[in-house]
Amino acid sequence: MSPAFSADQDAPSWPAEFAERYRAAGWWRGETFGQMLRARAAAHPDRTAIVDPAGEGRRWTYRELDERADRLAAGLLALGIGKGDRVVLQLPNVAEFFEVVFALFRIGALPVFALPAHRDTEIRHFCAFTEAVAYIVPDVEAGFDHRELAARIKAEVPTLRHVLVVGEPGEHTALRDVPREPVAVEDGPLPGDLAFLQLSGGSTGVPKLIPRTHDDYLYSLRASNEICRVDEHSVYLCALPAAHNFTLSSPGSLGALHAGGRVVLAPRPSPDVAFPLIEREGVTLTALVPPLALVWIEAAAERPDDLGSLDALLVGGAKLSEEVARRVGPALGCTLQQVFGMAEGLVNYTRFDDPEDTVLTTQGRPISPDDEIRVVDGEDGDLPRGATGHLLTRGPYTIRGYWRAPEHNRTAFTADGFYRTGDIVRQTATGHLVVEGRAKDQINRGGEKIAAEEIENHILAHPAVHDVAVVSMPDDYLGERSCAYVVLREGAGPLRGADVKQFVRRRGLAGYKVPDRVEFVQEFPQTAIGKVSKKDLRARLQLPLSFPLS
Ligand code: OOB
């Protein structure tokens, strides 16, 4: 008999006693994404699953999505893409995203969810590190030609056999030309197998990969749907990038599909695009990061669109200020749900029946009764309820380790499997969490995460740079932006902030990682034990600027 939960050398998994407990509790139900879609297509074949408004507009029913996934799965199998193979996926919010994802799910090949903003450096790493066999891209997106990027990566990564393009393929293969076989593909993976690799926001030199299983992710969807009251009447607007964990699963597009609802794809999250879609499609819920929530609040007063169908706005990814939280309901005529989640697992929501004050001032409480929350001091000692400390967590949909990262896992997890979130929180008497800060060396730029070390390593490659420290600076709109403090080499020629930014950009990094500000200093302030004091550097940012922000 094949095991219900397959051991994977690359991905640390839950110990048997935990797996048994989560199954016995009914969290893990032994279902895969392939089976989920098949079941929905059988139950309500003609209901609309996906609406993609681009161009002429497309509306796929559940039957159509299921058939497309089958046919593409057969085509991908014929190309030699099989179970366990990694496929780096970098698609914007287009219908093909779901066709590809479900085709890969069915084969048991693992999508690696790159974001549209990623460039050479990130994509090269994802492809090389995962030994990806295929990379799936749009042709041109936001003025950037992904086919050229793909050609560069293909030349460098020997495992990469296929580049598939949604749109005009150039020198590569068009996704539409992958031969489609009209056959139902047998589901490849087991429920305990990996479904995909998600990206960590990270605080280290390179982003880590997060291995999620069918069973664990499906549980988080089912439970999120219940909390957010998502059912077959729900219409989810996918406004943030579809590949992000928030948009995918909290409750996200996959939650909506799980419930038999409808997913409407917004090519951009701006009010001029999103608001008319809400009115036309009768959108009932969507998810935004705090800066966008503010943009929507302000636009709602100006624009004529009827947002009356909207029941809930989920806001998360970064801390929502109480002041903005207070404005969501009155401005948009819907219920606010704060979401504090992480691609590694744990997701917290404020509930519909929470008192108003809780919704406005906390980031919610965990999805599952089996989510274990510890708030600890610097030595892992448990703190009394209400005290502020490091958040550690363990549970039925929180990973036990990153993919192929045994060294890093030794410090990112406790010996008994708690994930060190790097977040500083306090837990209220009702179990709600309030995010008070961060211990990890990361900048949260309006929900987009930047690992300071990653950017520091790039800037250090500049021949005129002796040392660098990247820190966050407060920002009214994004919450935080990044500032790079640079110490130049002795005798190095003059260097301007703009040169440093340009240097980082030319190294092929996602645009949001380019430092917002660059400051030149003679030396760094030090802590008592001689480390660079980022705390002091952040404090300096409160002083008058040495030159204007760009
Ligand atoms: C979501 O996932 P990631 O993996 O991009 O980032 C996780 C980190 C958390 O550890 C925390 O530092 C921060 O983002 N964060 C928040 C927050 N939500 C996330 N910090 C303060 N307040 C919040 N509400 O960002 C993510 C994944 C699933 C659902 C929602 C967000």
Side-chain angles (χ1 to χ4, degrees), residues 199 201 244-246 250 315-320 339-344 347 363 421 423 435 438 440 442 444 447 449:
L199 312 180
H244 191 273
N245 198 59
F246 188 13
S250 305
V315 181
K319 179 90 180 253
L320 178 65
V339 192
F340 164 39
M342 51 207 73
E344 286 81 358
V347 180
Q363 281 61 61
T421 65
D423 293 312
V435 181
R438 195 183 318 123
K440 53 192 166 192
Q442 188 187 73
N444 188 337
K449 315 302 185 312

Side-chain angles (χ1 to χ4, degrees), residues 93 236-241 244-248 250-253 264 266-275 278 283 285-300 307 310 312-321 324-325 327-329 331-332 334-341 348-349 363 444-449 477-478:
N93 295 0
Y236 180 81
L237 184 76
C238 183
L240 299 171
H244 191 273
N245 198 59
F246 188 13
T247 344
L248 205 55
S250 305
S253 49
V264 177
R268 285 189 309 284
S270 52
D272 58 317
V273 174
F275 285 12
I278 294 174
V283 168
L285 81 161
T286 188
L288 295 175
V289 288
L292 277 169
L294 184 59
V295 169
W296 281 34
I297 287 168
E298 285 175 353
L307 306 181
L310 207 55
L313 176 67
L314 295 118
V315 181
K319 179 90 180 253
L320 178 65
S321 72
V324 177
R327 293 171 65 190
V328 168
L332 300 170
C334 64
T335 303
L336 166 69
Q337 279 191 284
Q338 294 214 38
V339 192
F340 164 39
N348 304 273
Y349 296 99
Q363 281 61 61
N444 188 337
R445 194 178 184 276
E448 292 184 305
K449 315 302 185 312
Y477 173 54
L478 290 175

